Amino acid sequence: MTLDDSEAVKIEGDIAPADILFVCEHASCTFPPEFGNLGLSEDVRRSHVAWDPGALALSKELAKRFGSSVVAGGVSRLLYDCNRPPEAPDAVPSKSEVFDIPGNVDLSEEDRAARVAQIYQPFKEAVEQVIEVVHPKAIVTVHSFTPVYHGNPRAVEIGILHDRDTRLADSMLASMEGGPFLTLRNDPYGPEHGVTHSLRIYALPNKLPNVMLEVRNDLLADEATAAQIADVLEAAIAQGIAELRDAGEIV
């Protein structure tokens, strides 16, 4: 199997110096023909298990407001989850939530390595190359999550996730407290779930303040609410950057 690098990753917006680089690993539910459908129905291939609905639109809106760009995944995370390292079992999941993924069961080491080479490596290289041009002061990754998981409703509306660098998350959480959306730290996921891979490899080694945003996807499905989400996040990110600049954490 071969996959054109341009299919594995998309760059949205102008690549130029900016305060923030946005990364959207689960931006697409595209299944290139060479991979088939993994034995999944069209409904499953378009559901939240295959991508993060609304995340790319939110990423692009935030990037526009900050005069920045987005590095976005170009294919479904069921083919390869670009927010996981190659050694992680769930980088190529055989099951996602309640859905079995037949095309990923008993995948040979050669086929798994091919997925890494065709999807993960081009994505990783693109992020690293864009960082070299943008010289961001911070990295923000953007995701969405399902309102009901394994039959359990989720009350949290926005999750502010971080790994060991809490600087930007702390500021954003403080500024969003008492706001219009229920916002929690490391919820509905946290580092213990393996979700901070991108923060660990792109931000932490470069000592860049960073945060992973998780927005409940039903809020992004409504245009007016999605705009309100963008307003709230824009204000919180801007305040965080300003506070870090005032504290001498960034220049």
Side-chain angles (χ1 to χ4, degrees):
M1 294 184 296
T2 60
L3 181 66
D4 188 327
D5 285 0
S6 66
E7 288 185 274
V9 58
K10 307 291 184 184
I11 310 297
E12 304 283 353
D14 295 332
I15 304 175
D19 277 349
I20 301 163
L21 175 63
F22 293 90
V23 178
C24 188
E25 301 97 321
H26 305 153
S28 175
C29 59
T30 297
F31 285 74
E34 53 263 53
F35 294 103
N37 59 22
L38 301 186
L40 301 171
S41 69
E42 183 176 358
D43 285 348
V44 174
R45 297 197 310 274
R46 293 183 177 277
S47 75
H48 70 273
V49 301
W51 67 318
D52 283 355
L56 179 58
L58 177 60
S59 300
K60 290 167 66 175
E61 178 62 25
L62 290 172
K64 182 176 72 174
R65 296 183 184 201
F66 284 96
S68 187
S69 52
V70 182
V71 183
V75 301
S76 172
R77 64 177 171 195
L78 296 181
L79 295 170
Y80 187 95
D81 186 337
C82 287
N83 193 30
R84 298 292 191 277
E87 64 272 16
D90 57 350
V92 183
S94 58
K95 186 168 187 172
S96 183
E97 197 181 339
V98 298
F99 297 98
D100 292 321
I101 316 298
N104 289 343
V105 175
D106 297 326
L107 203 66
S108 71
E109 287 301 317
E110 291 77 13
D111 282 343
R112 187 181 176 94
R115 299 268 188 100
V116 173
Q118 294 163 355
I119 301 172
Y120 177 70
Q121 288 298 338
F123 181 85
K124 181 174 182 289
E125 289 167 10
V127 177
E128 292 169 344
Q129 290 166 7
V130 172
I131 287 173
E132 289 298 314
V133 177
V134 173
H135 297 295
K137 308 301 183 186
I139 290 180
V140 175
T141 68
V142 183
H143 297 254
S144 70
F145 64 94
T146 179
V148 179
Y149 187 67
H150 284 284
N152 298 313
R154 287 161 153 171
V156 59
E157 294 175 308
I158 300 177
I160 304 297
L161 283 54
H162 60 78
D163 202 273
R164 64 178 182 269
D165 183 346
T166 70
R167 292 174 293 173
L168 184 53
D170 289 345
S171 176
M172 290 182 65
L173 284 160
S175 68
M176 295 170 74
E177 187 174 359
F181 300 103
L182 176 59
T183 303
L184 300 176
R185 182 190 300 269
N186 285 336
D187 194 328
Y189 307 106
E192 68 274 17
H193 301 112
V195 300
T196 55
H197 172 67
S198 290
L199 303 183
R200 291 179 181 181
I201 63 168
Y202 306 126
L204 296 185
N206 296 308
K207 297 181 171 55
L208 295 173
N210 58 88
V211 72
M212 175 178 171
L213 305 178
E214 282 277 8
V215 180
R216 213 174 65 197
N217 66 33
D218 59 319
L219 302 175
L220 298 176
D222 175 81
E223 192 172 307
T225 308
Q228 191 180 7
I229 291 276
D231 289 343
V232 168
L233 289 173
E234 178 191 10
I237 293 168
Q239 180 171 321
I241 294 297
E243 289 179 358
L244 289 170
R245 188 169 272 128
D246 288 345
E249 296 282 343
I250 58 176
V251 295

